[in-house]
Amino acid sequence: MMKYSNVTIEQLTDPEKVKDALEVRIAVFVHEQKYTLESELDSYDDISLHWAAYCDRENEDGTIDSHVPVGAVRLIPQPNSVAKLGRLAVLSSARGLYIGQKLVLNFINYCKQNGYHTIVLHAQYPRRGFYAKLGFVIEEGEEIFDEDGTPHIRMYMRNII
């Protein structure tokens, strides 16, 4: 079993570094959750802001790999100072370390500092509780909908400034 330490969250401003986020997303959404590569790599990546979580990884043989990408999230700017949180992913081997929570909290902080007043996301329905613990709510009238063959629900965080 691999061990991870020294979690850092970085905004990926260099297009070369965005590949780290894509690597995590492909591992989680394509290989683990069986979405198609075409649905994962969409046209929104080019207009989005990206973050990755990095850790040092201790391998089974005792060697250490530094600055290994283990998590990702993206922000798709929407009209009227709304940010869409999407593609939150953490490698299965790195779960349980609050990396997803750290990514979302970093995302919220970025939104607060950059004039976004609302965050919207499409949560996979079974994972809605994760977002609820972080302050996101399902508003009255929202219904479960299908996105790429998986039930999702729209959730919001409003008045974040």
Side-chain angles (χ1 to χ4, degrees), residues 4-160:
Y4 294 94
S5 61
N6 301 323
V7 179
T8 60
I9 309 296
E10 298 176 21
Q11 185 176 358
L12 307 176
T13 55
D14 178 351
E16 275 302 303
K17 296 293 280 178
V18 172
K19 291 179 183 176
D20 289 347
L22 297 178
E23 175 185 315
V24 171
R25 287 171 36 196
I26 290 168
V28 172
F29 295 120
V30 177
H31 299 305
E32 180 184 336
Q33 296 185 7
K34 306 302 182 200
Y35 289 97
T36 66
L37 185 61
E38 295 74 27
S39 69
E40 179 50 34
L41 302 178
D42 61 27
S43 61
Y44 294 111
D45 280 327
D46 292 338
I47 62 165
S48 297
L49 303 173
H50 300 266
W51 286 264
Y54 294 92
C55 290
D56 294 338
R57 178 180 62 206
E58 182 180 338
N59 301 304
E60 292 179 18
D61 64 5
T63 59
I64 305 281
D65 294 327
S66 297
H67 206 252
V68 176
V70 295
V73 68
R74 74 178 181 188
L75 184 159
I76 304 171
Q78 304 290 297
N80 302 314
S81 300
V82 175
K84 182 175 181 188
L85 185 154
R87 301 300 202 260
L88 176 66
V90 176
L91 295 180
S92 61
S93 60
R95 292 186 191 141
L97 302 172
Y98 300 96
I99 292 168
Q101 182 181 38
K102 290 175 184 178
L103 281 161
V104 173
L105 292 173
N106 189 284
F107 184 101
I108 294 167
N109 190 48
Y110 177 89
C111 290
K112 286 179 181 178
Q113 293 177 356
N114 289 277
Y116 292 97
H117 63 75
T118 300
I119 301 171
V120 62
L121 60 88
H122 296 175
Q124 291 179 356
Y125 192 71
R127 291 170 176 82
R128 68 195 181 280
F130 167 83
Y131 295 105
K133 288 177 186 174
L134 293 169
F136 289 87
V137 296
I138 299 168
E139 295 184 347
E140 189 174 333
E142 289 294 341
E143 295 186 11
I144 298 169
F145 60 93
D146 179 88
E147 191 167 278
D148 292 322
T150 303
H152 282 71
I153 189 83
R154 198 170 285 107
M155 298 182 78
Y156 298 87
M157 180 179 284
R158 295 192 184 271
N159 304 312
I160 61 170

